[in-house]
Amino acid sequence: MAGHSKWAKLKHQKGKTDAQKSKTFSKLVRFIAVEAKKAKGDRTAPGLRTAIEKARAENMPADNIDRAIDKAAGSGAELEPVQYEAYGPGGAAIIIEGYTDSRNRTAQEIKHLLAERGGALATPGAAIWAFTKVEGKLEPTTTVPLSDEDGQKLSELLEALEEHDDVNEVYTNGA
């Protein structure tokens, strides 16, 4: 049979999984770099140890982890944590956390993504009230019921935000 190749099928599947791994690994490298800067390269520091454990849980190669720590301990771009608050379709509160080397660039890119998909950047403190911190994660204290249309728009917005390189975590109270 012409056109039926196992390799062709595998190639497409491998391409998808490799793209997902690459995205995950790049976010983990940023996280490790920030924690390594804080710990000044000390691998026994709790923050860096947690970052390394997260990377190992995602099957990140040890060489990649070591390179990220060495690069952060040396000189390089200074990554800093950022947090943005926004409101999405249907009035759902959104908290966006990440790491960036340029606050201005990231803020404008996030603002653009929100505006494209029916959201708006909010001032600090405008959306955080709807969440409480539980074990390092934000949990919504109240939920906002959304129509099917608003729910679909919100899920598209969340996907677009998570695709962004500087974004690490996205939390929402939309239900």
Side-chain angles (χ1 to χ4, degrees):
M1 261 195 261
H4 295 292
S5 165
K6 288 183 183 177
W7 169 243
K9 184 177 179 184
L10 288 174
K11 178 173 61 173
H12 295 295
Q13 289 175 342
K14 184 173 175 6
K16 283 182 184 176
T17 58
D18 286 352
Q20 289 171 343
K21 276 186 187 179
S22 173
K23 189 68 115 172
T24 304
F25 286 1
S26 66
K27 288 185 181 200
L28 287 170
V29 164
R30 284 178 175 267
F31 182 51
I32 289 170
V34 168
E35 292 300 327
K37 280 270 192 203
K38 286 182 192 173
K40 296 183 175 82
D42 180 17
R43 292 173 185 260
T44 60
L48 183 54
R49 201 175 36 208
T50 301
I52 291 170
E53 288 172 6
K54 278 187 179 182
R56 286 189 179 143
E58 291 290 332
N59 295 325
M60 184 179 212
D63 291 346
N64 292 13
I65 295 169
D66 294 337
R67 268 195 310 265
I69 294 170
D70 293 342
K71 186 176 179 181
S75 62
E78 182 74 28
L79 293 175
E80 59 183 312
V82 292
Q83 182 176 8
Y84 299 104
E85 299 180 34
Y87 280 98
I94 302 171
I95 305 294
I96 305 159
E97 294 179 345
Y99 300 100
T100 184
D101 55 351
S102 172
R103 282 182 172 268
N104 292 335
R105 174 187 48 81
T106 303
Q108 289 305 315
E109 289 173 356
I110 297 294
K111 191 175 181 181
H112 178 71
L113 283 173
L114 289 166
E116 272 184 336
R117 292 172 176 83
L121 205 55
T123 58
I128 196 74
W129 66 268
F131 298 88
T132 56
K133 197 161 207 135
V134 178
E135 297 177 17
K137 300 267 186 193
L138 292 174
E139 297 288 331
T141 54
T142 62
T143 57
V144 175
L146 298 174
S147 67
D148 290 340
E149 182 181 330
D150 285 340
Q152 179 64 27
K153 286 181 184 177
L154 181 63
S155 66
E156 289 173 7
L157 173 61
L158 295 177
E159 279 181 36
L161 288 170
E162 287 176 355
E163 293 278 322
H164 194 278
D165 288 337
D166 294 343
V167 174
N168 206 34
E169 293 285 334
V170 180
Y171 304 99
T172 184
N173 71 342

